[in-house]
Amino acid sequence: MGNLWANPLFGIFLTVITFYIGDWTAKRIKSPLANPLLIAMVLCVAVLKLLDIPYKDYMEGGQFISLFLVPATAMIGLSIYRQRKVLKQQFFPIVIGCLAGSLISMGSTIVLCRLLALRQDMLASLLPKSVTTAIALDLSDQLGGLRSVTMMAVIICGTGGAIIHPFIIRLLKLKDPVATGVAFGTASHAIGTAKAIEMGEVEGAVSGVSMGIAGICTVIIALFL
Amino acid sequence: MNMKILRQLGIILAICLAAEFIVSLLPIAFPSSVTAILILAALLGLKLLKVGHIQETADFMLSNMAIVFVPVSIGMVEDIGLLKGQLKGFLLVVCASLVLTFLGTYVTVRIVQICLDKLAGQGGASDG
């Protein structure tokens, strides 16, 4: 039986089927907690723990899903093209929003880490938390952070954002799709963008652009730290 | 239909490979995903590529994008031990900063929009 779990097809199957269940559930239960990624994650971890399957075995297949990170995120280019009119009209709000958001993200992290007396390497790991994985890991190295801690912070900002932001939007009755898109992309990178795409085409495209601009802003701000 | 999806997938993978190649030439660390986004948007904008050339496959990937983050999010659950002793502080900083960033960004965009609207003399805010 052990060999079956290490077969790459198992990891792919488990990911596809749990994500399908997550997506199916999310479409029926209109709650921010019913998020396809979160449901898939919980179901996968539950299956791996219950059947005592090592993470390494799961990743034999899981790595093939991860490989599609670049092709899937690249398709944001299509959303951007489809929304080019909005982007032209809203150029300044988007760029200034991304810059302000990146400053708030890094500034609040520094202040909060000092207040809670976290270790210096934790601060370095947390600074790039709002940007997309590839940029965040490079920045973490550059600042002297721990890669896996950065990875966790990035994932929490993404999945946490996909859950928390819709709550905030409902609570405060935030309505502007452009501002929502910029806020999603700047605070919660690609995972937030995936959620923004579910909310609407404008939100998704603006979030995709903002994720890129915020990434570049963060890299530049980090040069001064 | 089968050939069509294959052709679309071929085009998409070619764009990604081109992005990886360009990134490998750059003197600074720049993410290949952002590069691929820029290449695709540029090709469409310059009319070198039509939406129809990638549409079905691209829309499939767009609507199911979050699936690519499932394996890495499971890895995170496995690695949680690294945060021993710092977990509470870690979560507090990440969550508080996340909410501040989201709200701060939203408010900044609205302020800039309203200022620009006033400058343009249109009066009312552009509400969506």
Side-chain angles (χ1 to χ4, degrees):
Chain A
M1 274 304 270
N3 274 338
L4 183 65
W5 310 134
N7 187 315
L9 289 178
F10 168 72
I12 299 174
F13 169 77
L14 184 66
T15 314
V16 169
I17 206 76
T18 52
F19 190 78
Y20 177 77
I21 296 170
D23 199 39
W24 187 89
T25 313
K27 287 206 170 91
R28 274 153 192 84
I29 304 171
K30 293 283 171 209
S31 153
L33 269 177
N35 169 295
L37 175 60
L38 187 70
I39 296 171
M41 184 185 94
V42 170
L43 288 177
C44 280
V45 170
V47 169
L48 296 183
K49 292 282 174 241
L50 282 175
L51 299 177
D52 207 17
I53 302 165
Y55 177 64
K56 189 172 70 55
D57 284 0
Y58 162 77
M59 275 311 280
E60 292 291 329
Q63 61 179 323
F64 291 102
I65 304 277
S66 293
L67 268 178
F68 276 85
L69 183 102
V70 173
T73 40
M75 295 310 107
I76 292 169
L78 175 63
S79 302
I80 292 173
Y81 175 73
R82 282 176 175 155
Q83 295 299 322
R84 57 197 179 282
K85 270 192 193 144
V86 179
L87 297 176
K88 255 185 215 161
Q89 278 168 5
Q90 303 282 336
F91 181 79
F92 287 107
I94 293 173
V95 172
I96 297 171
C98 289
L99 182 63
S102 304
L103 281 170
I104 297 168
S105 171
M106 297 173 93
S108 60
T109 303
I110 294 174
V111 172
L112 287 165
C113 279
R114 294 269 154 79
L115 280 179
L116 295 166
L118 288 187
R119 292 195 312 255
Q120 185 62 30
D121 59 342
M122 290 295 280
L123 169 60
S125 313
L126 288 177
L127 273 175
K129 68 186 169 33
S130 286
V131 299
T132 192
T133 319
I135 304 183
L137 292 181
D138 288 340
L139 268 179
S140 176
D141 281 349
Q142 189 189 317
L143 298 167
L146 305 164
R147 274 182 161 243
S148 47
V149 175
T150 299
M151 194 65 218
M152 278 179 232
V154 168
I155 296 289
I156 293 175
C157 274
T159 37
I163 298 162
I164 298 170
H165 303 332
F167 266 126
I168 300 176
I169 290 171
R170 266 190 225 176
L171 191 71
L172 302 178
K173 300 194 170 63
L174 305 180
K175 280 187 189 134
D176 189 88
V178 174
T180 305
V182 180
F184 260 104
T186 305
S188 302
H189 54 90
I191 305 179
T193 300
K195 181 69 197 173
I197 290 169
E198 288 168 26
M199 299 183 74
E201 179 104 308
V202 175
E203 286 90 333
V206 173
S207 179
V209 183
S210 305
M211 165 186 117
I213 301 173
I216 296 164
C217 290
T218 305
V219 171
I220 295 169
I221 297 168
L223 292 176
F224 297 97
L225 291 176
Chain B
M1 188 63 190
N2 286 332
M3 292 301 286
K4 191 169 161 188
I5 298 292
L6 276 179
R7 197 177 61 222
Q8 293 184 347
L9 196 57
I11 293 171
I12 290 168
L13 293 177
I15 291 170
C16 296
L17 279 172
E20 300 283 359
F21 177 69
I22 292 171
V23 165
S24 73
L25 297 179
L26 292 177
I28 49 160
F30 197 79
S32 45
S33 53
V34 177
T35 312
I37 291 172
L38 296 174
I39 295 175
L40 178 57
L43 288 176
L44 290 166
L46 295 169
K47 312 271 180 223
L48 293 170
L49 194 70
K50 284 186 187 143
V51 174
H53 286 144
I54 53 163
Q55 193 165 0
E56 286 80 4
T57 311
D59 281 333
F60 169 75
M61 286 185 178
L62 275 176
S63 53
N64 295 292
M65 194 160 79
I67 195 173
V68 301
F69 301 108
V70 173
V72 78
S73 63
I74 299 170
M76 175 193 89
V77 177
E78 296 278 317
D79 267 353
I80 212 102
L82 275 172
L83 291 174
K84 230 177 177 181
Q86 305 252 307
L87 186 64
K88 266 188 206 159
F90 169 84
L91 287 176
L92 199 64
V93 173
V94 174
C95 294
S97 172
L98 175 65
V99 173
L100 284 174
T101 306
F102 184 83
L103 282 176
T105 309
Y106 187 95
V107 171
T108 307
V109 175
R110 291 299 293 145
I111 291 172
V112 177
Q113 282 175 334
I114 292 165
C115 288
L116 286 178
D117 279 350
K118 285 214 172 126
L119 275 177
Q122 289 166 354
S126 67
D127 212 34

